[in-house]
Amino acid sequence: MSEPTQKHSITTPRDIAEAARPAATPPAVRRLERDNLDELITLAEAEHGPITPEEIHERRDLLRRTRDEQRASDTSS
């Protein structure tokens, strides 16, 4: 789900740059991704109703099958 990375060069006061640096750590990035996902889930549930455990299992199984198929395709290339 992550976007490709990009390098940016900006000029900011040192104290602001030092305060912002921890926000770019891998755990912080994962937290932001989870927050974004939580927001999407909340919006989807507001529009379509709660997601049932069965739907979660079905989607998880579909994702696993798709990932396994992609891996098999990658190794046969």
Side-chain angles (χ1 to χ4, degrees), residues 8-74:
H8 297 275
S9 178
I10 59 171
T11 302
T12 62
R14 185 181 315 242
D15 59 335
I16 292 175
E18 289 174 3
R21 187 178 313 279
T25 64
V29 171
R30 284 192 295 276
R31 186 179 65 244
L32 289 171
E33 289 172 341
R34 274 195 312 274
D35 291 348
N36 289 338
L37 182 56
D38 287 344
E39 182 180 347
L40 289 173
I41 291 169
T42 299
L43 291 171
E45 287 185 327
E47 185 173 337
H48 303 287
I51 300 169
T52 66
E54 292 80 18
E55 290 171 318
I56 292 170
H57 292 297
E58 288 172 9
R59 299 314 188 282
R60 187 174 287 142
D61 289 343
L62 176 61
L63 287 171
R64 283 185 183 136
R65 284 193 310 272
T66 302
R67 184 186 61 223
D68 292 345
E69 290 170 4
Q70 287 174 342
R71 286 181 180 163
S73 174
D74 289 345

